[in-house]
């Protein structure tokens, strides 16, 4: 499965930047060993249901440290029997673009 998620704490400190908290969440994802990609809006990870959700939970907890409230947005592509979709889905779109 692929899970794209965005996590942001709120209500802590005077800054409107959440980059430090997001970095803490991304660190958890990177240390998980699961295939992943971070963009400006989401981090996408690939793996089995339980392992992906465990990483999302731990990443959310890391980003939430010191904040009274946290927002989590999550989108999942659940496709049993398929792996390597983090890059394969993009590759298929690129192939269609080359044909046009």
């Amino acid at each position: 499965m692929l899970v794209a998620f965005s996590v942001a704490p709120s209500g802590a400190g005077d800054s409107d930047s959440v980059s430090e908290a997001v970095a803490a969440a991304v660190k958890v994802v990177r240390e998980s060993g699961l295939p992943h990609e971070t963009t400006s809006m989401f981090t996408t990870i690939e793996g089995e249901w339980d392992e992906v959700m465990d990483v999302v939970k731990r990443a959310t907890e890391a980003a939430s440290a010191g904040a009274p409230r946290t927002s989590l947005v999550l989108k999942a592509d659940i496709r049993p029997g398929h792996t390597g979709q983090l890059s394969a889905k993009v590759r298929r779109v690129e192939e269609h673009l080359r044909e046009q």
Side-chain angles (χ1 to χ4, degrees), residues 3 5-6 10 17 20 26-27 36-37 44 47 51 55-57 62-63 66 70-71 74 76-79 96 98 100:
V3 171
F5 74 103
S6 173
S10 61
S17 175
E20 187 175 352
V26 170
K27 182 178 182 202
H36 63 276
E37 177 182 68
T44 304
E51 63 187 355
V55 173
V56 170
K57 179 182 179 185
T70 304
S71 171
L74 186 143
D77 181 1
I78 303 162
R79 197 171 180 199
H96 287 292
R98 283 192 296 273
Q100 295 181 357

Side-chain angles (χ1 to χ4, degrees), residues 83-99:
T83 59
Q85 296 303 298
L86 188 63
S87 58
K89 289 176 80 165
V90 176
R91 187 174 55 250
R92 288 191 296 270
V93 169
E94 292 295 335
E95 289 171 1
H96 287 292
L97 289 169
R98 283 192 296 273
E99 295 170 0

Side-chain angles (χ1 to χ4, degrees), residues 2-58:
L2 293 174
V3 171
F5 74 103
S6 173
V7 59
S10 61
D14 297 329
S15 174
D16 63 350
S17 175
V18 296
S19 61
E20 187 175 352
V22 170
V26 170
K27 182 178 182 202
V28 170
V29 172
R30 290 183 178 177
E31 290 175 350
S32 75
L34 295 176
H36 63 276
E37 177 182 68
T38 299
T39 64
S40 61
M41 297 288 290
F42 286 92
T43 294
T44 304
I45 55 179
E46 183 170 13
E48 296 299 319
W49 183 274
D50 290 338
E51 63 187 355
V52 169
M53 291 305 171
D54 176 62
V55 173
V56 170
K57 179 182 179 185
R58 290 186 294 113

